[in-house]
Amino acid sequence: MPMSKSSENYSGFTADERAAMKEHAREEKKAASRRGASRAEKEAAAEQDVLAKISEMQDADRTLAERIHKIIREAAPELAPKLWYGMPAYARDGKVVCHFQSAEKFKSRYATLGFSDQAALDDGVMWPAAYALTELTAAAEEQITALVRKAAG
């Protein structure tokens, strides 16, 4: 069967993409192992997983992630922390609303705070779904707090 031009160029997933998928599979397996635990126990374990992941980050990313975690937990306590493809994420009814992506994990020059389609941020026909983070000033923290509150609906 002849291959199309696009399939000739396809070389599969990158090593980083495969690693993220494997990490997601481990997260799902870990979550499944908690079946039978109380909701409070599951939530506490998920938060510990997120905090452990944050503690593994390099200094600059860890500092940002720790502060983002605190802002989200205070601004939208109804969002539950969880790991999502190895990233700290915050979900409503199990669906990710926002997440923190470290710069180091994806070899980027900046970390990002991203929002999913579950976030209540729709504004017209176009709106930002991710924000680059290089540092957290008081003004940036206020903006993030407002975004998270709006996203949580």
Side-chain angles (χ1 to χ4, degrees):
M1 174 177 202
M3 293 176 64
S4 70
K5 187 157 184 88
S6 64
S7 63
E8 289 173 10
N9 295 331
Y10 180 72
S11 61
F13 295 105
T14 67
D16 288 339
E17 290 168 331
R18 284 191 302 277
M21 288 185 285
K22 287 178 183 178
E23 193 155 14
H24 182 64
R26 282 191 299 273
E27 292 162 7
E28 292 297 313
K29 187 174 182 179
K30 193 172 191 179
S33 73
R34 295 181 179 143
R35 288 192 180 114
S38 73
R39 181 179 177 152
E41 290 169 330
K42 289 178 188 177
E43 288 174 0
E47 181 148 16
Q48 287 307 310
D49 292 345
V50 167
L51 293 173
K53 183 58 69 177
I54 290 171
S55 74
E56 295 171 5
M57 294 177 186
Q58 292 182 351
D59 291 344
D61 285 337
R62 185 177 61 251
T63 300
L64 288 171
E66 287 170 345
R67 190 67 194 126
I68 292 294
H69 178 78
K70 185 173 187 210
I71 290 168
I72 293 170
R73 297 300 287 145
E74 289 174 359
E78 67 275 17
L79 296 181
K82 67 182 274 180
L83 288 177
W84 184 61
Y85 294 95
M87 296 178 284
Y90 304 85
R92 179 179 43 250
D93 300 325
K95 295 182 180 178
V96 171
V97 172
C98 58
H99 68 280
F100 176 83
Q101 180 176 310
S102 72
E104 188 251 338
K105 182 176 180 81
F106 292 98
K107 300 169 185 73
S108 176
R109 69 183 176 102
Y110 49 78
T112 59
L113 175 62
F115 294 89
S116 76
D117 61 341
Q118 299 297 310
L121 295 176
D122 301 26
D123 184 17
V125 296
M126 186 171 86
W127 57 89
Y131 294 83
L133 300 172
T134 57
E135 69 175 297
L136 288 179
T137 63
E141 288 185 13
E142 285 179 29
Q143 185 179 6
I144 291 168
T145 298
L147 279 168
V148 168
R149 284 187 178 137
K150 183 177 180 184

